[in-house]
Amino acid sequence: MSIRVIHDLEEFRAACEDVRRGGRLGLVPTMGALHRGHLRLVERARELADVVAVTIFVNPTQFGANEDLDRYPRDLEGDVAKVESAGARLVFAPSVSAMYPPGERTRVRVSGLTQALCGESRPTHFEGVTTIVTKLFSVAGPCTAVFGRKDYQQLKVIQRMTQDLLLPVQVVGERTVREGDGLALSSRNAYLSAEQRESALGIARGLSRAVRAHHRGERSVGVLVDMVESSLREAGLEQDYVTLTDADTIAPLSTKESCADRALLAVAAKCGQTRLIDNVVLGEDPAPIAEEA
Ligand code: PAF
């Protein structure tokens, strides 16, 4: 059966209801500009559900005033072909006015978890994410929804929100997909020149050093953070944050502390004008780069 692309909100709601009458619906929310990481999310959703719907919506409320909303890459036709080949059966690509009707005044906000890491430099970002994800859950009513672990903080925030609002959706995180050289796949990689792409590898290099050190028994937050910071400096990247946190609460650890056997090491850095994020859960994830050259 070929894929159905729906722009109208009520038509999508009805199509999702039809699916739920006969089986489980899996949802993969995206902002388009899809890559293999997104297709992995679709494949995971297929394992968990009978029919997979992908939403493609560049959500304006999660972008700050000086961010890349206007230039965010858009390619609906190409995206539809990709998710069809990965096994999705429905695509929902609504307009901004459908998702944010005139006069709208409501936002969904999760406190605590949203303050550190990306929340510091993007103070309104997560409110935009949780608002749109709540709306998408409300329209689709999925049984399960899959998000990438590259946006680890986002995943934790959405899981918290889903529990707090008693939404009957199983929120699943899927591992980060990387290029052969370790660079985490991201729609924003499309902005990078060849030279910038080379510099961007400093992030994966730093995380890999820290994973190996942690594996050898290093637990000093200061030492582990410093390994990543020096890799960013060597690569000429502008650090936004390099932070070790509790893997569940996202509470940052001070550089004077020791970390647990399982802890989140998260990075955001600018490569030219492009802000990239990446992370590993120490004690759980493999090094992004298998062996240092
Ligand atoms: O991860 C993304 O692409 C977006 O933040 C999401 C979850 C689709 C909400 O707009």
Side-chain angles (χ1 to χ4, degrees):
M1 192 190 291
S2 69
I3 196 159
R4 188 169 157 203
V5 181
I6 301 175
H7 299 281
D8 181 75
L9 195 143
E10 291 310 327
E11 191 184 338
F12 182 58
R13 197 192 295 276
C16 292
E17 260 167 35
D18 272 355
V19 171
R20 282 198 313 275
R21 266 194 283 276
R24 286 176 62 82
L25 174 68
L27 191 73
V28 179
T30 80
M31 297 207 300
L34 303 180
H35 49 66
R36 277 185 293 116
H38 294 109
L39 302 188
R40 179 67 207 126
L41 305 184
V42 175
E43 285 157 14
R44 181 84 180 105
R46 277 190 65 202
E47 291 164 12
L48 299 167
D50 301 300
V51 172
V52 175
V54 176
T55 66
I56 298 180
F57 179 66
V58 182
N59 174 37
T61 62
Q62 70 187 76
F63 289 80
N66 298 316
E67 293 181 0
D68 56 344
L69 173 62
D70 292 338
R71 68 176 187 133
Y72 198 84
R74 289 162 170 87
D75 173 20
L76 182 61
E77 212 179 305
D79 288 344
V80 169
K82 286 177 194 163
V83 296
E84 181 168 27
S85 71
R89 293 254 302 278
L90 294 171
V91 166
F92 178 46
S95 64
V96 173
S97 62
M99 297 314 289
Y100 293 98
E104 57 93 22
R105 310 269 315 156
T106 305
R107 292 290 176 271
V108 177
R109 186 171 58 83
V110 175
S111 60
L113 281 173
T114 52
Q115 268 152 26
L117 308 183
C118 289
E120 266 190 42
S121 51
R122 307 183 75 194
T124 55
H125 170 69
F126 286 113
E127 191 172 289
V129 171
T130 43
T131 299
I132 195 64
V133 171
T134 305
K135 289 176 187 235
L136 293 170
F137 283 0
S138 152
V139 177
C143 308
T144 186
V146 185
F147 296 85
R149 280 169 58 117
K150 187 174 84 65
D151 297 293
Y152 188 92
Q153 187 178 17
Q154 167 175 284
L155 171 67
K156 288 288 159 190
V157 169
I158 292 169
Q159 283 174 330
R160 183 74 260 163
M161 173 197 85
T162 307
Q163 281 177 28
D164 291 352
L165 296 181
L166 315 177
L167 303 177
V169 189
Q170 175 199 24
V171 175
V172 173
E174 181 58 24
R175 68 177 171 78
T176 302
V177 179
R178 299 180 181 279
E179 302 282 9
D181 58 9
L183 183 72
L185 296 192
S186 162
S187 304
R188 290 189 168 97
N189 291 351
Y191 299 144
L192 302 175
S193 66
E195 201 182 321
Q196 287 172 334
R197 196 201 166 288
E198 197 51 38
S199 302
L201 279 177
I203 300 175
R205 212 175 287 128
L207 290 174
S208 301
R209 281 181 191 161
V211 168
R212 276 191 282 275
H214 184 269
H215 189 68
R216 288 193 302 268
E218 182 61 75
R219 294 291 181 273
S220 158
V221 172
V223 170
L224 293 164
V225 164
D226 189 56
M227 282 177 180
V228 183
E229 289 185 337
S230 52
S231 287
L232 299 186
R233 271 196 308 276
E234 282 160 24
L237 297 168
E238 187 191 324
Q239 175 178 327
D240 179 353
Y241 62 77
V242 176
T243 308
L244 249 160
T245 79
D246 181 280
D248 297 315
T249 64
I250 317 285
L253 302 170
S254 112
T255 50
K256 294 189 173 52
E257 287 181 84
S258 297
C259 68
D261 291 347
R262 180 174 171 272
L264 173 70
L265 179 54
V267 182
K270 273 182 110 178
C271 188
Q273 289 307 301
T274 306
R275 185 175 179 280
L276 300 173
I277 60 170
D278 200 350
N279 70 78
V280 286
V281 176
L282 297 172
E284 196 168 285
D285 291 332
I289 302 175
E291 283 301 324
E292 267 186 316

